[in-house]
Amino acid sequence: GAGDQPRSGLLGDLAELAMLTTNLATVYGNLGHIDQAYEHALRARALQVEIGRTDGPTAGVIEAHVGLYGAARGYYTISLEAFHNALELFRGDGQTLWIAVCSNNLATTLIDLGQFARARKTLDYEAPSVSHIAARGALLAARIARMLGSSPAADLQRAAAELARSDDYYIDALLTLERAESLQALE
């Protein structure tokens, strides 16, 4: 009967439900529905807590989503804590790609908070093999350099070199914008 169903309402696979809930958070976030994205990230986190420690990137990904959408809502204390939790999990599992993704998002949040030196330090990670993620890190470094009054030229060149290996139009548009920020007003 209905009372015999597992607590997840499906097959009792809470790990799968947590990951799918995180994916739903991503969909809502991509559509600009940040409130729903944050709510789903928190639901995924609650499921992960119920599951306990697992291998692989899932727990860290869930924490990274709480950080990302928490920052978008202005919940910076929660966001920073979640990003740090995620990075600890990713480092423990040697998840180079996820460390880069999470560090880039943490750096963006720290830039928003005006903490440029901390943001720059966050970008000190092993470069991932995925070029658009490495390019985004270089773009963030360029932005920080510019905000601190230094030349962003080397970081912009590094971002362009990474983008030459991929067709990521979003990151390419960010590179164009960052280059424009470096121009004199008349240019």
Side-chain angles (χ1 to χ4, degrees):
D4 296 332
Q5 287 188 2
R7 288 182 351 162
S8 70
L10 301 172
L11 299 175
D13 189 345
L14 295 181
E16 183 70 15
L17 186 57
M19 197 66 240
L20 292 173
T21 303
T22 302
N23 291 344
L24 191 54
T26 300
V27 170
Y28 277 115
N30 288 343
L31 293 173
H33 302 289
I34 302 304
D35 292 344
Q36 293 92 337
Y38 183 66
E39 289 171 19
H40 281 83
L42 291 177
R43 285 186 188 132
R45 178 195 257 177
L47 288 165
Q48 186 64 40
V49 167
E50 191 172 337
I51 295 165
R53 176 78 172 121
T54 57
D55 291 333
T58 302
V61 170
I62 290 170
E63 284 296 310
H65 278 75
V66 171
L68 179 65
Y69 299 120
R73 299 226 23 222
Y75 302 150
Y76 293 112
T77 301
I78 292 167
S79 174
L80 294 175
E81 181 180 325
F83 281 136
H84 289 294
N85 290 342
L87 284 168
E88 184 177 314
L89 290 165
F90 293 144
R91 288 180 183 127
D93 283 345
Q95 299 284 337
T96 304
L97 178 65
W98 284 108
I99 290 168
V101 170
C102 188
S103 295
N104 287 347
N105 288 331
L106 173 56
T108 300
T109 301
L110 291 169
I111 290 168
D112 290 345
L113 292 170
Q115 297 181 15
F116 306 121
R118 275 183 73 194
R120 181 62 190 101
K121 187 174 180 178
T122 299
L123 297 175
D124 292 336
Y125 54 75
E126 182 181 338
S129 60
V130 178
S131 60
H132 72 273
I133 294 171
R136 182 161 182 250
L139 285 174
L140 288 165
R143 184 174 175 202
I144 293 165
R146 183 174 48 79
M147 299 302 277
L148 292 174
S150 299
S151 171
D155 293 313
L156 290 173
Q157 187 175 27
R158 186 166 48 103
E162 287 292 343
L163 282 175
R165 299 183 310 132
S166 78
D167 289 331
D168 191 296
Y169 299 107
Y170 174 72
I171 301 298
D172 189 52
L174 292 178
L175 175 59
T176 300
L177 288 172
E178 193 57 47
R179 282 178 170 156
E181 288 287 348
S182 301
L183 297 175
Q184 296 298 317
L186 290 177
E187 292 179 75

